[in-house]
Amino acid sequence: GEFVLHYQPLVRASDGQLEGMEALLRWAHPQRGLVPPLAFIELAEELGCIEAIGAWVLDEACGQLARWRAQGLGPRRIGVNVSAHQLRSTQLTAHVQACLTRHGLPAEVLVLELTESAAMAQPEASIRCLQSLRALGVSLSIDDFGTGYSSLAYLKLLPIQSLKLDRSFVRDIEHSENDAAISAATLALAHTLGLHAVAEGVETEGQRRFLQAQGCDLLQGY
Ligand code: MN
């Protein structure tokens, strides 16, 4: 009962309109304060409770979007992170469908985010799982792009709709030629593959201007 979700907005680069929210897990620990997922997800995987946590996050995020929609508020879409472990579960598609039904949400409002490493760990099995999720109508996004081990040969086979440029490239995009070049190339790669490009960690006007000029579709900040 100590988990909470925090939400980060995604706005359209073209006009700043709110498009979606990403749900991010935090552990509101009574002594340690707000613990980020990096500090406990690996442990949760080892202890075998990652699926229960993943199911809670999905249910809570969908419930929140349903409440926003009922109030005529908020984003059109909700992004939820999926771990490699969840991706290996044969139940994932059924769980996602059941959760959408429970909250009366159409599948198009849900964006599942997975890292390159999760998607590429067992590529054939992942592609099958992602295809069945895609068949439901949910969108799929590659998270933290550029930070993991990735195979471009597999990337083109994944039934994904968007790439998320990792925040580590965005942070110094105004001052680092390397980060600017990597970001521009990643956005171009996304568009060449027919995908939407999303930048994470956009916090300054300069970052926004650069990314907008490079054709980035969505900007996500804190
Ligand atoms: Mn994410």
Side-chain angles (χ1 to χ4, degrees):
E2 292 174 357
F3 288 135
V4 291
L5 294 185
H6 283 195
Y7 295 89
Q8 291 186 1
L10 290 84
V11 301
R12 288 200 299 247
S14 56
D15 58 6
Q17 280 294 305
L18 181 66
E19 169 73 17
M21 289 281 196
E22 177 178 1
L24 295 155
L25 180 63
R26 304 284 184 261
W27 180 356
H29 193 282
Q31 278 90 43
R32 297 181 180 197
L34 218 50
V35 183
L38 264 180
F40 61 84
I41 287 298
E42 210 171 306
L43 187 62
E45 285 182 349
E46 278 173 35
L47 295 172
C49 53
I50 190 73
E51 280 197 59
I53 295 174
W56 179 84
V57 170
L58 183 67
D59 189 68
E60 181 67 18
C62 287
Q64 179 63 71
L65 183 64
R67 289 191 292 279
W68 279 328
R69 283 162 63 100
Q71 296 166 0
L73 293 171
R76 301 196 308 117
R77 290 160 174 251
I78 192 90
V80 176
N81 296 289
V82 172
S83 71
H85 198 276
Q86 285 173 285
L87 212 56
R88 287 197 290 271
S89 158
T90 53
Q91 302 299 307
L92 182 61
T93 304
H95 281 153
V96 167
Q97 174 67 80
C99 186
L100 290 167
T101 304
R102 185 160 58 246
H103 295 289
L105 293 173
E108 308 86 74
V109 301
L110 183 62
V111 182
L112 296 178
E113 300 189 2
L114 48 144
T115 62
E116 302 161 83
S117 314
M120 315 272 178
Q122 297 176 0
E124 285 83 9
S126 296
I127 290 170
R128 272 198 304 278
C129 177
L130 296 177
Q131 280 169 341
S132 77
L133 287 165
R134 187 65 196 131
L136 286 184
V138 306
S139 291
L140 303 169
S141 188
I142 295 292
D143 211 359
D144 306 335
F145 188 77
T147 60
Y149 161 79
S150 69
S151 154
L152 295 179
Y154 276 118
L155 185 68
K156 69 175 184 182
L157 297 178
L158 297 174
I160 55 174
Q161 284 67 57
S162 53
L163 280 189
K164 295 186 81 173
L165 174 66
D166 189 71
R167 70 186 67 243
S168 60
F169 302 115
V170 173
R171 192 186 309 122
D172 299 323
I173 212 168
E174 298 164 83
H175 313 292
S176 159
E177 278 180 33
N178 284 344
D179 286 343
I182 289 169
S183 298
T186 301
L187 299 176
L189 173 69
H191 288 145
T192 304
L193 290 170
L195 306 173
H196 287 113
V198 185
E200 300 172 331
V202 184
E203 291 297 320
T204 72
E205 182 60 22
Q207 291 166 341
R208 186 193 69 81
R209 254 198 316 272
F210 179 92
L211 290 160
Q212 191 183 34
Q214 296 294 329
C216 189
D217 299 288
L218 295 174
L219 310 175
Q220 176 174 342
Y222 293 101

